[in-house]
Amino acid sequence: MACVAFNLAAPLVSWAEAGSAVRPTDSVPTWSAVVGMMGAALGLERGDSRLFELARDYALAVDVQQAGRRLEDYHTVQTPKRAASAVTARTRGEELALDLQTSITRREYVAGAVYRIFIVVMAPEPCCSPAFIATALGSPFFPLSAGRRSCLVGNVAAIVVDGELEETLREATHWDARIKLARPHSMIRERRDMPVAPRVFDIRLECMA
C-alpha cells in the first residue's frame, strides 16, 4: 500500500484540538493540522472541499522520534465590546478610542519535537495521488506550518513509499484506527480532529503502541 512519508521538525509546534481562553496542545500531530499542511502545499484555501476529501481518502500514522518539551504563551487581546463592535476602526488608534475589553489567553506549544509522518492511502482512487502530494510538499504553494501559522516548517523531504505497510509503519507510535495493522496496540483514544466541513471536526480513533 502506498503512502507519503516526510519529516516534521520545527522550533515550535502546536497541536490544539479545542479550547478558548486556554488552548492546550497534544504531543502528537492532529490529523486536521497534517491535512492543513497538505492543503497549503497544494495551494488550497481554507474551507476548500478538497481538504475534506484528503482527510477521507488518507489516514495518519506518526513516529514520535523526539517528544520535545511544553511551553506556555501568556498574552492579552483587546477587542471592542459588543456595543462598539458595529463601528469599524480603520486604524489601531481609532480602535483604542472605542470601549475595549481585555481577554487573557494561554496557548501551549511544544519545543524541539521531531516526527516522522506517514500519510496512508485509504481510498481505491484518492482525490490526489501520493506522488502529487509528495511533490507539492517538496515545493509548497503556501508556507507549511505545524498547527499554527507562526510555527513554520522547513524542508520536509517528502517521499512516496510503496511496499508492505507493516514494514513501513514498524516504528510508528500512533496510527489511525482505519489503518489495519497486525501489530498490537496498548490503547485506542478519541481525537476530534477529522475535518468534515469548514471548522467542523468529527471524532477519529487513534491507536497507540
Side-chain angles (χ1 to χ4, degrees), residues 40-58:
L42 294 166
L44 305 182
E45 299 285 348
R46 185 190 297 269
D48 192 305
S49 62
R50 287 170 290 182
L51 291 172
F52 314 122
E53 293 175 6
L54 284 169
R56 177 200 63 208
D57 292 351
Y58 286 86

Side-chain angles (χ1 to χ4, degrees), residues 23-43:
R23 297 296 301 271
T25 181
D26 202 293
S27 58
V28 181
T30 55
W31 182 217
S32 53
V34 175
V35 170
M37 288 183 65
M38 289 191 288
L42 294 166

Side-chain angles (χ1 to χ4, degrees), residues 110-195:
V110 178
V114 178
Y115 309 96
R116 182 70 170 167
I117 305 294
F118 302 90
I119 306 169
V120 182
V121 177
M122 290 284 102
E125 297 182 3
C127 57
C128 292
S129 70
F132 192 71
I133 293 173
T135 299
L137 287 168
S139 183
F141 188 90
F142 295 121
L144 303 182
S145 56
R148 293 191 184 280
R149 288 187 179 179
S150 59
C151 302
L152 292 177
V153 175
N155 182 19
V156 298
I159 61 171
V160 176
V161 180
D162 274 308
E164 178 59 44
L165 197 59
E166 293 284 348
E167 176 62 20
T168 301
L169 301 183
R170 66 185 184 281
E171 301 296 335
T173 55
H174 300 72
W175 62 94
D176 193 303
R178 291 178 294 161
I179 303 172
K180 303 304 180 183
L181 298 180
R183 57 181 289 200
H185 55 266
S186 62
M187 64 176 292
I188 296 178
R189 65 170 176 167
E190 294 183 348
R191 304 189 74 182
R192 188 170 290 278
D193 64 354
M194 171 63 81

Side-chain angles (χ1 to χ4, degrees), residues 1 30 39 45 50 59 64 73 75 77 92-93 95 99 111-112 117 122 130 138 152 157 167-168 172 195 198-199 206:
M1 184 178 292
T30 55
E45 299 285 348
R50 287 170 290 182
V64 180
D73 179 30
H75 60 113
V77 179
R92 178 58 175 164
E95 188 176 66
D99 189 11
I117 305 294
M122 290 284 102
L152 292 177
E167 176 62 20
T168 301
R199 299 187 181 277
E206 181 179 76

